[in-house]
Amino acid sequence: MQSTVKDRIFDHIPPAMLVAVTCFWALAPEAVLESPWTLAVVSPLIIITVQLLEFVHERHQGWRLNRQEFFTDLFYVTLNATVIGWCVQVFADEPLTALKASLGLKSEWLQQMPWLFQAALVLFLIEFGQYWMHRLMHNWTPFWLTHAPHHHITQLNAGKGAVGNPIELFLISLSVVALLDFEPTAVLAGYSAITVITVFAHANVRSNPPIWYSFFFTTIRHHSLHHSTDYESTRCNYANSLIIIDRVLGTYREGEAAVVGQDDLRRLSIREQFLFPFKSIIDAYRARRSGETDATATV
Ligand SMILES: [Zn+2]
Ligand SMILES: [Zn+2]
């Protein structure tokens, strides 16, 4: 199909937004950078912008956002920004910071490194951990049960990266960055870069970034294949933002999927997504209860 000027402009929006967000953290006034609210504004702003782009140049009509999908995505984006974020801080980052202090771990030398290098290293460290956590989730049943609800989504949209069982959302957010003494704005830049890349990798935007971007960073082509109905393809392209990791570790697969989902392609409700890992226990309990009721009725 002939690519239009609009297509070509949209192809360059993900790299342009990545550059813009990085420049923001590098150049914004001190007062803005020091405010704890800045990241809380930047992340939703990225999601809203990409969501709006879906309405301007959509990829698949079948993935168009409806009311039910919108409110589900909004619920999960809010859950991630509040409860999950709090849990990660209290149960992971703060204990790691305390461990770092008690062991006397110091890495201030990192702050002597160029700022952009620090931001890139933060991005790599978070993503390398996420890659292995994601791969583990696809290869060990207890972890898969937490990740499966994310694969039950039947369409991709800007907020869909946030949709999943809360245990998975917590596990995938773990990182070792709290153990290291990076420049705080470089850490925020790393997190924002991941947000830009992963939001685009889940979005229904007709955008196929150039190879100099898609060789290193995950795009909707890579990630839609990971969400496809083909079992073998779901066991590839684990990297949420740095697809280069899949290329290097041999788990990369070329392609794209328009039909996404799991099993019978039935979308799960939020309640089902929350209860999914415990489904077999709940079913066994119910079967036992109904067995007892039957026995009582017989007596
Ligand atoms: Zn997966
Ligand atoms: Zn996904």
Side-chain angles (χ1 to χ4, degrees):
M1 203 165 55
Q2 188 87 38
S3 84
T4 63
V5 174
K6 189 177 177 182
D7 287 334
R8 268 181 281 144
I9 291 170
F10 268 76
D11 290 352
H12 288 85
I13 292 179
M17 202 186 280
L18 190 58
V19 171
V21 166
T22 308
C23 287
F24 169 78
W25 289 113
L27 306 168
E30 204 113 309
V32 175
L33 295 175
E34 279 169 6
S35 165
W37 290 100
T38 307
L39 187 67
V41 172
V42 170
S43 301
L45 212 60
I46 293 167
I47 301 173
I48 292 166
T49 307
V50 180
Q51 186 59 66
L52 291 174
L53 291 174
E54 288 191 13
F55 301 122
V56 182
H57 205 31
E58 72 181 4
R59 194 169 194 90
H60 301 295
Q61 199 185 328
W63 293 359
R64 197 174 289 171
L65 199 69
N66 58 32
R67 216 180 135 83
Q68 188 185 36
E69 294 291 340
F70 170 75
F71 283 108
T72 303
D73 294 1
L74 184 64
F75 170 79
Y76 277 105
V77 168
T78 310
L79 184 77
N80 269 284
T82 53
V83 181
I84 304 294
W86 181 84
C87 286
V88 171
Q89 194 184 333
V90 171
F91 299 114
D93 290 348
E94 283 175 8
L96 279 181
T97 309
L99 178 74
K100 174 175 173 280
S102 69
L103 294 176
L105 295 175
K106 284 194 167 58
S107 52
E108 274 103 3
W109 52 270
L110 277 167
Q111 297 188 9
Q112 308 306 316
M113 300 285 185
W115 182 88
L116 196 59
F117 175 81
Q118 290 184 54
L121 190 56
V122 169
L123 167 60
F124 174 77
L125 287 175
I126 296 171
E127 176 63 352
F128 195 62
Q130 284 194 353
Y131 171 90
W132 284 106
M133 179 61 80
H134 190 186
R135 197 164 159 175
L136 176 71
M137 285 172 171
H138 277 267
N139 287 281
W140 194 25
T141 307
F143 281 76
W144 166 249
L145 293 176
T146 72
H147 183 50
H150 181 65
H151 277 268
H152 274 275
I153 54 178
T154 51
Q155 63 182 80
L156 296 174
N157 300 101
K160 287 290 190 291
V163 177
N165 179 268
I167 301 169
E168 183 225 2
L169 301 177
F170 172 79
L171 291 173
I172 209 77
S173 303
L174 301 177
S175 89
V176 297
V177 169
L179 286 173
L180 298 158
D181 297 309
F182 286 107
E183 191 71 52
T185 54
V187 174
L188 296 170
Y191 274 105
S192 287
I194 288 175
T195 305
V196 170
I197 301 163
T198 54
V199 167
F200 270 112
H202 281 96
N204 184 22
V205 179
R206 187 164 292 280
S207 170
N208 296 308
I211 185 70
W212 51 263
Y213 178 93
S214 64
F215 188 77
F216 299 99
F217 304 115
T218 307
T219 69
I220 182 71
R221 295 189 73 246
H222 309 132
H223 201 65
S224 64
L225 191 66
H226 179 76
H227 273 274
S228 75
T229 51
D230 171 48
Y231 176 73
E232 288 306 320
S233 294
T234 63
R235 296 165 71 83
C236 297
N237 299 357
Y238 294 115
N240 292 317
S241 51
L242 289 179
I243 199 70
I244 185 78
I245 297 178
D246 280 291
R247 293 186 195 273
V248 171
L249 297 181
T251 47
Y252 176 74
R253 184 176 278 204
E254 182 56 43
E256 175 173 4
V259 177
V260 295
Q262 191 73 25
D263 305 332
D264 54 358
L265 298 182
R266 188 179 68 83
R267 131 187 236 290
L268 301 183
S269 65
I270 292 174
R271 183 187 152 84
E272 287 172 313
Q273 286 163 337
F274 271 56
L275 294 177
F276 195 91
F278 316 105
K279 200 173 169 298
S280 55
I281 300 170
I282 294 167
D283 288 348
Y285 174 75
R286 279 191 187 142
R288 228 183 91 195
R289 281 291 298 270
S290 72
E292 279 171 9
T293 316
D294 288 349
T296 316
T298 316
V299 170

